[in-house]
Amino acid sequence: QVQLVESGGGLVQAGGSLRLSCAASGLTFSAYIMTWFRQGPGKEREFVAGINWTGNETPYVDSVKGRFSISRDNAKNEVYLQMNSLKPEDTALYYCAASPRLGIDYSDALSYDYWGQGTQVTVSS
């Protein structure tokens, strides 16, 4: 049974930092593309950042470029999202997702087979 469990969310002031983690089990983690999505209040789910098997492909949504960094540790079966210079508009429920396929559109939620339950990030102004 595949499980993705996110952690690391919380309440932070604008300008602060958080590091999200997603622990995967029940799959061959190193064979999966891993991605972070988010859904803010009253908004649609949005692609944030993705990472391929080797970590040499890491697309980001424009709004987080230069502030967020995605990484993975295949030995620990974990993917991370380092979030710096947080803004109130980053407030959202953050999900990790996993896809075993090649050549996917990272931003398309239909590309992913597995999803976590999410971790809440709230940024106060």
Side-chain angles (χ1 to χ4, degrees), residues 1-23:
Q1 179 182 359
V2 175
Q3 282 194 313
L4 302 178
V5 180
E6 301 95 337
S7 62
L11 174 64
V12 64
Q13 289 189 332
S17 297
L18 284 174
R19 187 191 193 214
L20 305 184
S21 298
C22 172

Side-chain angles (χ1 to χ4, degrees), residues 56-92:
N56 65 352
E57 183 175 79
T58 55
Y60 296 88
V61 68
D62 285 348
S63 60
V64 309
K65 285 180 181 177
R67 300 189 299 122
F68 291 11
S69 177
I70 190 170
S71 61
R72 67 189 296 160
D73 186 335
N74 288 341
K76 293 183 178 180
N77 287 4
E78 293 187 347
V79 61
Y80 311 101
L81 187 67
Q82 178 66 43
M83 306 187 296
N84 299 326
S85 302
L86 283 160
K87 304 176 180 181
E89 51 264 43
D90 295 318
T91 294

Side-chain angles (χ1 to χ4, degrees), residues 37-40 43-47 95 107 109-110 115:
F37 283 79
R38 67 186 178 186
Q39 187 164 14
K43 298 181 181 179
E44 295 194 354
R45 184 168 44 188
E46 173 188 39
F47 163 78
Y95 301 90
S107 65
L110 295 177
W115 293 81

